[in-house]
């Protein structure tokens, strides 16, 4: 902290403000400290303060607000409040009411959509937009192309003026165009000359991917000198340019000054400014530009008069009234004045200096990181200028991490481990495909092949063909602290920076994983041979299983294992990650009676379901029986759901991590509703080693009991041998049955859910400890997945006590 303050003490913490950052945190954001969160996704949504919410609650409970579309006293007072809110929004952007109007929308996206659907497109119009634009801006091109206009992505190039240049206007800005997009349509409007057509140029004040700020001089250059600025492009002769700024990300720290940069349209999001309310944004529009917009639909509030049975409507003339369909979100609008009050007390310039000092600190720390072999750890995007005096970058740090061998850490691995450390950040492309492709150097061929490989937004394909498909982003807000920034940097160092290899008394490496120092392990001679310690069947996915001494094997593994699952009303598969109380539902199968029995403390009676031998029907034959079963599970889980049974003994599909259909590791596998494989095997000795590591933490030891193998929901628990010996097994013989190893089991947050004395508890363990020494290529491995090599000739059984004979790599 002392070193940091030497560099940034004049900027960090609001030294000239009414409250220092420490006071702000202790009085207005106690929930962060109470819950131990480090919140670093302010570009996605900043946080509301507790004082702000108290003022809003007091406002709502002390006043009466009514629909403003009335003449009552309450409605008139609400109308006055809305008018005052509009004035505050305009004032924040230094926009005169004589020049601008504030149209409230449901968010920045709705504001951008409003521009797209009402802009006066013709077949001679052009829509130019910077590569670094949010999808909500890219979507405008659909309106342009549908009307026969052309669309084109552009790159902005800034070059310093030559010393003998006659002007002192700063850097020279050039616009370099990419491929022109056009779409034939049968709905072309009447042809107009190019001189009469209106054109639109869109850019963000700050890129939400990289944090790079755009020079707002673009507004004046495009509007007043487009021919020079667009020189060399097909658009240089086009006139009548209008400019749209997406200020959703940038306005929290440096709102565009519209008196100096008179953009025609500016999109705003309030939850990105001060956290609350959500579902409310605004479009700031120049009054002369608003007259050109062509709105088709009318509604209550936007018309002065209409007649139901003839084609007659008289629209309202004021800009806001003509574009705000229906009743305004007046309670949310009432809340924004408390957010602006907070921002005014700190001032946007002080917020910018505070947040940018943190982002520069983090960037410099990440930039300096080196692995033990001397290779760099971090690749930063859009961070060429790391001086606070430069306004080239906002308080955002976007990067990817490399391993010592030069391969990439997947961004999902970073997010997963950050979450375990209480750090909330963002990964992916952040709905900005142009910036993502530009900074990650992804060609059209790369992008199309990624889509063909199944990659879509928010999936788990973070590295394809050796290239990252997205990045990691941390971003700071007005309440962020140095301690949070340092904790994040420390997390990166401890989790992803490889130290120099140790010699002599260093860690002993066994196979692919680092083991405890050898003196902490028993001598090799003390390990007995392997044998099967227990067998567990889980008839219903994510519900409790039951132990057996012997059990028949079949094509799908253990007979009836994960043959049923519970599905929500929207079609989603319910698991303990979504419904932790599913662990309290107990199951048992009586093979002789052909019954599956299920019980829960929430249900008075046990549920008995008949198992028809050889039947794999999706829908139970008896509708009353189906209703009875689904009603029981609805009561047991506490939400509407239904029980499904696996429909085929030959399907090789399985469920991937986001619970959508995927393919198993081995297409010859036949599994029911398991995630990856027929069997999960856990070693008692490996669990014991994990317990030793966990108990080294005294706080954990005091608060938790020893883990038992069943926390990991194994089908088979083996005893004997060394810890993690199963990592090297290729094939296994248990009794007379043969199995093939499919590799380690990638663990998730589900193993952090425990059921103690009928109570479901969550913690960060044991996944956090496992992540410290069981990480391989982005996966946290514990346990081994198996495939049964079925003997078609005989009915085979597996039993507790069977000898386990592995074939080692």
């Amino acid at each position: 902290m002392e070193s940091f303050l030497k560099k940034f003490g004049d900027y960090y913490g609001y030294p000239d403000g009414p409250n220092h950052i420490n006071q702000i945190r202790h009085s207005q954001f106690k929930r962060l400290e109470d819950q131990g969160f480090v919140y670093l996704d302010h570009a996605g949504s900043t946080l509301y303060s507790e004082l702000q919410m108290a003022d809003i609650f007091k406002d709502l409970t002390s006043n009466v607000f009514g629909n403003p579309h009335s003449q009552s006293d309450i409605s008139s007072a609400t109308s006055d409040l809305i008018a005052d809110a509009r004035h505050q929004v305009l004032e924040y952007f230094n926009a005169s009411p004589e020049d601008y109007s504030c149209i409230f929308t449901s968010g920045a996206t709705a504001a951008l959509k409003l521009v797209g659907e009402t802009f006066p497109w013709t077949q001679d119009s052009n829509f130019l937009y910077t590569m670094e634009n949010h999808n909500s801006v890219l979507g405008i091109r659909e309106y342009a192309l549908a009307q026969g206009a052309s669309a084109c992505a552009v790159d902005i190039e800034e070059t310093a003026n030559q010393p003998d240049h006659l002007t002192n206007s700063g850097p020279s800005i050039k616009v370099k165009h990419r491929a022109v997009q056009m779409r034939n349509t049968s709905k072309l409007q009447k042809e107009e000359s190019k001189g009469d057509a209106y054109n639109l140029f869109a850019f963000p004040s700050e890129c939400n991917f990289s944090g790079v700020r755009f020079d707002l001089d673009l507004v004046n250059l495009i509007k007043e000198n487009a021919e020079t600025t667009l020189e060399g492009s097909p658009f240089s002769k086009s006139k009548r340019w209008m400019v749209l700024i997406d200020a959703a990300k940038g306005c929290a720290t440096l709102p565009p000054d519209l008196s100096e940069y008179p953009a025609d349209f500016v999109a705003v999001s309030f939850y990105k400014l001060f956290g609350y309310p959500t579902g409310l944004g605004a479009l700031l529009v120049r009054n002369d530009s608003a007259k050109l917009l062509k709105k088709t639909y009318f509604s209550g509030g936007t018309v002065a008069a209409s007649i139901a049975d003839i084609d007659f409507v008289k629209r309202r003339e004021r800009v806001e009234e003509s574009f705000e369909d229906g009743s305004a979100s007046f309670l949310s609008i009432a809340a924004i004045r408390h957010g602006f009050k907070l921002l005014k007390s700190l001032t946007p310039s002080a917020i910018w200096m505070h947040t940018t000092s943190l982002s520069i600190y983090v960037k410099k720390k990440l930039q300096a990181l080196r692995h033990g072999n001397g290779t760099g750890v971090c690749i930063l995007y859009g961070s060429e200028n790391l001086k606070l005096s430069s306004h080239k970058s906002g308080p955002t740090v976007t990067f990817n991490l490399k391993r010592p061998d030069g391969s990439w850490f997947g961004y999902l691995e970073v997010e997963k481990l950050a979450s375990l450390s209480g750090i909330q950040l963002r990964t992916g492309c952040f709905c900005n495909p142009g910036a993502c492709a530009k900074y990650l150097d992804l060609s059209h061929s790369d992008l199309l092949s990624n889509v063909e490989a199944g990659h879509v937004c928010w999936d788990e394909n973070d590295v394809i063909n050796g290239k990252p498909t997205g990045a990691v982003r941390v971003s700071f807000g007005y309440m962020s602290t140095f301690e949070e920034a340092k904790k994040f940097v420390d997390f990166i160092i401890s989790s992803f920076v490889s130290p120099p290899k140790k010699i002599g008394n260093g860690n002993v490496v066994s196979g692919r994983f680092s083991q405890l120092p050898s003196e902490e392990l028993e001598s090799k001679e003390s390990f007995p041979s392997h044998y099967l310690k227990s067998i567990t069947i889980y008839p219903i996915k994510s519900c409790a299983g039951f132990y057996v001494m012997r059990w028949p094997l079949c094509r799908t593994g253990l007979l009836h294992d994960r043959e049923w699952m519970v599905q929500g009303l929207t079609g989603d598969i319910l698991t303990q990650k979504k419904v932790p109380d599913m662990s309290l539902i107990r199951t048992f199968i009586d093979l002789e009676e052909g019954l599956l029995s299920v019980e829960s403390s929430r249900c008075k009676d046990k549920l008995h379901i008949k198992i028809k031998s050889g039947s794999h029907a999706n829908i139970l034959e008896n509708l009353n029986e189906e209703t009875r079963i689904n009603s029981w599970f609805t009561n047991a889980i506490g939400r509407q759901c239904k029980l499904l049974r696996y429909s085929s003994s030959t399907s090789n599909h399985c469920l991937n991590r986001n619970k959508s259909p995927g393919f198993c590791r081995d297409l010859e596998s036949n599994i029911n509703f398991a995630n990856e494989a027929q069997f999960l095997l856990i070693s008692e000795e490996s669990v014991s080693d994990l317990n030793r590591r966990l108990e080294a933490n005294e706080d954990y030891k005091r608060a938790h009991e020893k883990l038992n193998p069943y926390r990991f929901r194994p089908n088979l628990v083996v005893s004997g041998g060394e810890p993690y010996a199963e990592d090297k097994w290729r094939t296994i013989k248990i009794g007379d049955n043969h199995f093939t190893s499919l590799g380690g089991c990638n663990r998730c947050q589900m193993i952090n859910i425990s059921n103690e004395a009928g109570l479901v508890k969550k913690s960060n363990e044991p996944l956090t400890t496992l992540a410290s020494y069981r990480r391989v290529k982005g996966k946290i491995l514990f346990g081994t997945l198996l495939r049964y090599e079925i003997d078609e000739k005989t009915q085979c059984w597996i039993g507790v006590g069977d000898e386990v004979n592995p074939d080692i790599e």
Side-chain angles (χ1 to χ4, degrees), residues 628-798:
R628 178 182 72 89
I629 291 171
N630 294 339
S631 176
W632 189 95
F633 276 95
T634 295
N635 292 331
I637 291 175
R639 63 171 73 185
Q640 287 287 324
C641 61
K642 59 183 178 180
L643 185 69
L644 296 183
R645 190 175 184 183
Y646 189 69
S647 61
S648 171
S649 61
T650 59
S651 172
N652 54 33
H653 286 78
C654 60
L655 304 171
N656 60 26
R657 307 298 288 193
N658 60 5
K659 306 308 174 193
S660 60
F663 286 97
C664 306
R665 296 188 183 188
D666 190 317
L667 292 181
E668 295 179 1
S669 295
N670 295 294
I671 62 176
N672 291 329
F673 289 123
N675 283 345
E676 294 185 276
Q678 297 172 339
F679 296 87
L680 171 61
L681 178 147
I682 292 289
S683 159
E684 260 195 338
E685 279 62 38
S686 299
V687 174
S688 296
D689 178 68
L690 173 59
N691 273 316
R692 283 194 289 271
R693 296 170 187 268
L694 290 168
E695 289 166 2
N697 182 333
E698 289 296 328
D699 291 337
Y700 176 89
K701 190 174 180 179
R702 284 192 295 268
H704 298 85
E705 298 177 355
K706 271 192 174 185
L707 287 179
N708 67 52
Y710 308 106
R711 178 75 162 268
F712 301 93
R713 294 179 63 82
N715 296 110
L716 309 174
V717 176
V718 298
S719 185
E722 296 185 19
Y724 315 111
E726 64 273 18
D727 294 335
K728 298 181 180 180
W729 295 353
R730 291 187 303 173
T731 60
I732 309 164
K733 183 181 180 184
I734 303 178
D736 294 324
N737 302 294
H738 295 270
F739 302 82
T740 297
S741 172
L742 302 178
C745 179
N746 186 20
R747 309 315 308 217
C748 66
Q749 297 270 7
M750 194 162 154
I751 64 173
N752 289 341
I753 300 171
S754 64
N755 178 357
E756 299 176 14
L759 296 175
V760 175
K761 296 181 180 180
K762 287 184 178 181
S763 71
N764 287 336
E765 294 293 0
L767 198 57
T768 299
T769 295
L770 285 172
S772 69
Y773 75 108
R774 294 286 299 177
R775 259 170 58 220
V776 176
K777 297 290 185 182
K779 297 180 179 180
I780 303 173
L781 303 181
F782 192 76
T784 297
L785 300 171
L786 301 179
R787 181 186 67 224
Y788 173 47
E789 304 300 339
I790 188 169
D791 185 346
E792 300 280 4
K793 299 178 181 179
T794 60
Q795 169 72 69
C796 298
W797 289 66
I798 192 171

Side-chain angles (χ1 to χ4, degrees), residues 84 180 198 210 219 221 311 542 685:
D84 181 62
V180 179
Y198 286 97
S210 65
V219 176
L221 289 172
D311 184 11
S542 259
E685 279 62 38

Side-chain angles (χ1 to χ4, degrees), residues 393-554:
S393 184
T396 297
V397 185
T398 308
F399 62 94
N400 272 310
L401 300 174
K402 283 194 165 185
R403 295 187 174 89
D405 63 2
S407 63
W408 298 96
F409 285 106
Y411 57 77
L412 285 176
E413 180 178 358
V414 182
E415 184 174 31
K416 182 177 183 179
L417 296 178
S419 182
L420 287 173
S421 298
I423 299 172
Q424 314 301 310
L425 46 75
R426 189 84 171 267
T427 63
C429 279
F430 326 117
C431 297
N432 196 325
C436 190
K438 184 175 181 177
Y439 285 109
L440 301 182
D441 193 28
L442 296 172
S443 66
H444 290 162
S445 176
D446 291 330
L447 296 171
L448 291 173
S449 66
N450 288 351
V451 172
E452 290 172 1
H455 176 51
V456 294
C457 296
W458 307 336
D459 70 7
E460 295 195 340
N461 295 308
D462 53 7
V463 178
I464 298 179
N465 296 326
K467 282 188 174 182
T469 60
V472 182
R473 184 186 73 187
V474 298
S475 48
F476 298 95
Y478 74 84
M479 77 299 295
S480 297
T481 65
F482 168 77
E483 289 79 7
E484 289 179 314
K486 185 177 185 302
K487 182 173 180 179
F488 170 73
V489 172
D490 290 344
F491 154 73
I492 293 294
I493 293 171
S494 63
S495 301
F496 298 98
V497 179
S498 297
K501 291 184 178 180
K502 295 181 179 180
I503 303 173
N505 293 328
N507 285 349
V508 178
V509 176
S510 174
R512 292 167 289 173
F513 304 106
S514 175
Q515 298 282 0
L516 281 175
S518 56
E519 61 269 19
E520 295 187 25
L521 299 175
E522 301 172 45
S523 64
K524 188 172 181 179
E525 288 74 20
S526 66
F527 293 116
S529 58
H530 300 92
Y531 69 95
L532 188 59
K533 180 74 175 288
S534 72
I535 303 169
T536 307
I537 317 297
Y538 304 92
I540 304 174
K541 182 178 178 67
S542 259
C543 293
F546 64 97
Y547 310 125
V548 295
M549 295 301 294
R550 293 181 71 248
W551 199 258
L553 297 169
C554 65

